[in-house]
Amino acid sequence: MRVAEAGNPARRGWFDRQGLRLVAKPYLSGAFATQRTLERLPVESAALKELTVEHGGIFSGPQFARVYLTASEHSVPFVGSKDMLVADLSTLPRLRKSDAELPGMRYLKLRAGTSLISRSGFNAGRRSYVRPDMAGFWSSEDVIKVVPDEDKIKPGYLYAFLSSRFGEVLVRSGIYGSTVKHIAPDHVGEIRVPRFGAVVENEIHELVQGAAELRAEFQAGLEAATRDLFSTAGIEELLDLRWHEGGRDLGFAPPRVTATSLRALNFQPRARRILERLGERECVTLGDVCEGGMLGSGVRFKRIDAEPGHGAVRLIGQRQAFWLRPEGRWISPDQAPPGIFTTDETVMIAAQGTLGENEVFCRPFLVTGSWLDHAYSQHFLRVVPGDPRFSGAYLFALLRSEPIFRLLRSMSVGGKQQDLHEELRKSVPVPVLTQPDRDRIAATIRSAYKKRDEADRREDLALARLEEAVTG
């Protein structure tokens, strides 16, 4: 049980500053200790609402009926409170453009440099930065937009403060509600931001902005590699799949049914057409590529929690694996089997879940660079090539594509929680191409992930510089 510090009890004035709210969270979360630390700084500070654009620089938006489409010419990417955290934006849901451009909805269009704060639900209080490639996306009412006035404050510095440990405590102290958590834009506007002068703030801004630009290049690299692969194979039209426009798979008779599977989903005509189109090119199966490598799930093990800095490692589950910065629990690797770690360029596929359109089930990511330090749960299908002609980076460029995603979904088994059929997943076709083509595509993926690691490093430097300014 958490208790207040004996030498620093809650005072009557604190209740006034909290609007006479009689909940314990602001007093036990460290929010008031953080406020006192910031108040003692020998620098000026300003309320956040004074540093944003006029006429509502901090807002969430109205509730509205959402109509989702898949055709890019009739829709716009739509960012919710979970989607604002993801690294790969290519799987975002798309809102009907005619609704998004209504007069009452246009101001939900994101602009680069805006800080985002999730305002409700499990993710309430998390922050994100609108990078250049997100400009023109629309956002939901569950996301608080903080649009800085760049004549008063640099966007990167403002985001660095909000995402720092100081800003996190102040933002989260305003969470209210029991079952469904919420944060009000009015509370966010009262947070005071310390000002350290142009030199320090510009340095922090440049680091944050540089990280945002590198993440935009990371996104562009992933998409370029996948398009290069399908274009070189002569099947680029599969990338414009328009899966839902193909109609429902009803009343079909699959040929050559065996005891391997009797589930109708495994014989989807739309998925069969993808297989047939891929089969027109020289391909090998994923099972053959991974012969001598690995194509299976991780080990099950008991989690023993441990503290960071004491030999603990971060355990990545399916929820956080697709975020820019994971927030998994910390466990002791000494109390777990060796299989919790993985090798460089292992492709991880979320292998357990449901078939919802916005679920991560069958979505992949690549483990390389700094992510090799993390441990991974058993809920991922690990794809490690054993054939030296194929690299993990090349396989990832293929597996992240929409056609292969739909193909994997058609190979699912189970009831409520789906899994990937152990035999069917081996039959996924992998275009052979030439060795120079494979090397070029893999190099694009590797370059993209190096930029992502560099972006994380720059953001960490920005937060360290802010910490130094506050505590130094």
Side-chain angles (χ1 to χ4, degrees):
M1 182 179 70
R2 299 187 66 179
V3 297
E5 299 177 16
N8 191 28
R11 293 173 171 77
R12 176 65 176 80
W14 293 8
F15 291 95
D16 290 335
R17 294 173 62 177
Q18 283 291 309
L20 299 180
R21 290 171 57 203
L22 299 180
V23 293
K25 185 176 180 64
Y27 312 107
L28 299 183
S29 65
F32 277 92
T34 300
Q35 288 178 358
R36 295 288 297 275
T37 298
L38 296 177
E39 288 170 359
R40 288 195 292 265
L41 291 175
V43 296
E44 296 181 356
S45 65
L48 183 58
K49 62 185 179 182
E50 299 172 1
L51 302 173
T52 57
V53 296
E54 296 181 359
H55 309 299
I58 305 175
F59 60 95
S60 54
Q63 293 184 346
F64 59 94
R66 303 174 186 178
V67 179
Y68 296 112
L69 301 177
T70 55
S72 58
E73 64 269 24
H74 300 299
S75 60
V76 294
F78 188 63
V79 178
S81 57
K82 290 190 300 182
D83 304 317
M84 59 181 263
L85 302 171
V86 299
D88 188 349
L89 302 173
S90 60
T91 60
L92 290 180
R94 301 185 69 89
L95 188 68
R96 186 164 62 183
K97 183 182 291 187
S98 59
D99 293 340
E101 293 180 345
L102 290 173
M105 296 280 292
R106 281 182 195 155
Y107 72 100
L108 295 180
K109 183 178 180 180
L110 296 179
R111 64 176 76 174
T114 298
S115 293
L116 305 179
I117 302 174
S118 53
R119 64 176 292 269
S120 63
F122 175 82
N123 296 311
R126 290 190 167 92
R127 286 85 58 217
S128 183
Y129 189 70
V130 178
R131 58 200 204 213
D133 57 331
M134 294 174 65
F137 289 12
W138 258 253
S139 62
S140 76
E141 69 275 11
D142 295 321
V143 178
I144 297 175
K145 275 70 69 175
V146 181
V147 186
D149 184 342
E150 297 193 29
D151 292 332
K152 298 178 181 177
I153 192 169
K154 292 291 185 180
Y157 169 72
L158 177 58
Y159 170 73
F161 175 75
L162 292 176
S163 62
S164 68
R165 66 182 181 92
F166 309 105
E168 179 176 15
V169 169
L170 296 177
V171 169
R172 289 183 179 271
S173 69
I175 295 177
Y176 64 92
S178 54
T179 304
V180 180
K181 308 297 184 182
H182 285 83
I183 300 176
D186 291 342
H187 165 79
V188 173
E190 297 299 328
I191 294 176
R192 299 203 64 85
V193 180
R195 308 304 305 273
F196 293 104
V199 174
V200 173
E201 294 184 9
N202 287 342
E203 178 186 356
I204 295 173
H205 165 74
E206 292 297 333
L207 287 168
V208 171
Q209 187 61 32
E213 292 170 357
L214 285 170
R215 285 172 179 152
E217 294 175 16
F218 161 76
Q219 178 75 58
L222 298 188
E223 296 175 357
T226 299
R227 185 161 296 279
D228 187 4
L229 191 157
F230 279 77
S231 176
T232 304
I235 50 176
E236 189 174 8
E237 76 280 358
L238 284 179
L239 293 178
D240 188 21
L241 190 59
R242 302 194 179 235
W243 176 262
H244 297 288
E245 295 180 17
R248 298 180 65 186
D249 298 309
L250 300 174
F252 58 92
R256 299 183 299 278
V257 175
T258 68
T260 300
S261 175
L262 297 177
R263 188 182 189 186
L265 178 64
N266 300 151
F267 301 95
Q268 271 185 310
R270 286 179 290 175
R272 296 297 99 184
R273 288 193 289 270
I274 295 174
L275 272 176
E276 292 170 3
R277 186 71 178 95
L278 286 168
E280 295 173 4
R281 297 292 179 266
E282 183 185 359
C283 292
V284 294
T285 65
L286 187 61
D288 290 338
V289 171
C290 294
E291 187 71 30
M294 184 177 183
L295 184 62
S297 300
V299 294
R300 297 179 181 272
F301 62 97
K302 184 178 181 180
R303 280 77 158 155
I304 305 298
D305 291 320
E307 291 294 327
H310 294 81
V313 295
R314 193 191 296 274
L315 176 65
I316 307 298
Q318 289 189 142
R319 176 180 296 163
Q320 301 91 3
F322 299 89
W323 292 359
L324 277 171
R325 308 299 292 267
E327 298 181 10
R329 63 194 286 189
W330 293 82
I331 64 169
S332 171
D334 298 332
Q335 306 296 321
I340 64 174
F341 297 102
T342 189
T343 56
D344 191 21
E345 292 195 5
T346 296
V347 181
M348 295 283 201
I349 301 176
Q352 294 179 356
T354 57
L355 295 171
E357 280 299 302
N358 296 323
E359 301 297 326
V360 298
F361 176 55
C362 293
R363 296 289 185 191
F365 67 96
L366 187 67
V367 179
T368 187
S370 62
W371 282 58
L372 288 168
D373 298 331
H374 302 321
Y376 296 89
S377 72
Q378 72 272 14
H379 304 293
F380 297 105
L381 174 66
R382 288 151 167 82
V383 182
V384 181
D387 189 333
R389 298 178 300 165
F390 298 89
S391 64
Y394 176 78
L395 290 181
F396 174 68
L398 173 71
L399 294 172
R400 67 173 297 276
S401 67
E402 183 71 8
I404 302 300
F405 166 72
R406 296 297 175 183
L407 200 56
L408 289 172
R409 281 279 179 103
S410 75
M411 298 175 177
S412 61
V413 294
K416 172 61 176 176
Q417 288 292 317
Q418 303 292 302
D419 206 332
L420 288 170
H421 195 290
E422 189 171 347
E423 290 300 319
L424 293 179
R425 67 197 185 197
K426 296 178 182 178
S427 65
V428 174
V430 178
V432 175
L433 305 185
T434 65
Q435 190 64 51
D437 290 333
R438 294 194 298 269
D439 291 343
R440 182 184 67 253
I441 293 166
T444 304
I445 293 291
R446 290 169 183 147
S447 175
Y449 270 88
K450 287 179 181 178
K451 290 176 181 177
R452 176 176 175 172
D453 274 354
E454 176 62 16
D456 292 346
R457 188 188 71 84
R458 292 190 186 188
E459 187 171 272
D460 290 342
L461 284 175
L463 295 178
R465 185 69 182 91
L466 178 66
E467 175 88 13
E468 178 186 348
V470 173
T471 61

